[in-house]
Amino acid sequence: MNTPQISIEEVLEAFSLEADASPATLQRYLHEYPQFSDELIDLSNEVFQFSLVEEGELLDTDKARMDSVLAQFRSAASRIAQNSLERLAPSKQRELSQALSVPRQVILAFVERGVIESTVPRHFLGRMSDLLQTSVEDIQAYLSQPPQRAVRYAKANDKPQEGGQVSFDQLLRDAGLSEERAAELLRDEL
């Protein structure tokens, strides 16, 4: 009875799919397919080298590449949030203010990065991000940048003062919100 000829591709594929990549498996394949010994040994070396890097362990070059890609991603996300807040037209600021039931002064503080990001409740950031069609993380990344005064077209007798960042609680108090409304916005969940 004639046994059909098996191709090298079929042998190498079968070897690479073996659950046990031990030397005993290689010996068995070398015994069964001596005509493919060079290719089997080469494949075995590749499989062995690949198994040296344990699952979850990365090489330094891989880590550097991943860090670079992650930095690019974060930069792009920050630009998205920046465009969402920094370029927010006054009419959109008004809409956002109404939708969140806060004075425009609060929205302007977000635009100018005048609020300390870590003091803003997650649920408030969630509602804001939904309305701006961005993510909470994007807004957090935007707020973590240095404060920046928005350009205003109003005359004043005094020179503008450099504004620092204030807590969300202080921002609500400065905006004149009632104690009840401020407490409602400061709760972890609505």
Side-chain angles (χ1 to χ4, degrees):
M1 184 170 156
N2 286 339
T3 58
Q5 288 287 336
I6 189 164
S7 72
I8 187 163
E9 289 82 14
E10 292 171 317
V11 172
L12 294 176
E13 180 179 5
F15 179 76
S16 68
L17 295 174
E18 285 285 337
D20 177 26
S22 69
T25 304
L26 175 62
Q27 286 298 328
R28 182 170 47 94
Y29 272 81
L30 290 173
H31 178 70
E32 291 178 22
Y33 308 102
Q35 70 274 26
F36 304 132
S37 61
D38 289 340
E39 291 86 353
L40 283 166
I41 290 170
D42 288 344
L43 180 60
S44 172
N45 285 335
E46 286 182 37
V47 169
F48 177 73
Q49 286 176 350
F50 183 74
S51 67
L52 287 179
V53 178
E54 295 179 20
E55 187 175 320
E57 184 181 324
L58 296 175
L59 300 173
D60 289 340
T61 55
D62 294 332
K63 288 179 184 178
R65 285 184 195 142
M66 288 177 60
D67 288 343
S68 172
V69 169
L70 188 56
Q72 290 173 359
F73 176 76
R74 285 183 179 150
S75 175
S78 177
R79 284 192 304 273
I80 291 168
Q82 184 171 357
N83 289 338
S84 298
L85 281 167
E86 192 171 66
R87 300 175 193 265
L88 197 61
S91 61
K92 294 292 183 185
Q93 289 179 19
R94 189 170 26 279
E95 289 174 20
L96 188 59
S97 168
Q98 291 170 347
L100 295 171
S101 301
V102 296
R104 283 186 58 196
Q105 175 181 345
V106 173
I107 302 305
L108 187 58
F110 277 84
V111 170
E112 294 179 343
R113 298 182 206 120
V115 62
I116 301 169
E117 174 270 323
S118 62
T119 65
V120 183
R122 181 122 175 127
H123 71 85
F124 187 86
L125 290 174
R127 288 182 55 213
M128 180 179 271
S129 68
D130 289 344
L131 292 166
L132 292 172
Q133 297 179 336
T134 189
S135 72
V136 170
E137 291 77 18
D138 289 344
I139 293 176
Q140 288 173 321
Y142 176 78
L143 292 175
S144 66
Q145 297 174 29
Q148 178 178 326
R149 294 193 64 73
V151 177
R152 297 186 198 156
Y153 300 100
K155 290 185 176 182
N157 293 333
D158 298 329
K159 187 176 181 179
Q161 297 178 358
E162 285 297 317
Q165 290 183 313
V166 297
S167 69
F168 187 63
D169 180 36
Q170 186 63 48
L171 175 63
L172 297 178
R173 291 174 199 271
D174 291 348
L177 260 67
S178 69
E179 290 293 325
E180 295 81 27
R181 179 65 182 141
E184 183 181 317
L185 289 171
L186 288 167
R187 274 187 276 177
D188 286 338
E189 297 180 17
L190 288 177

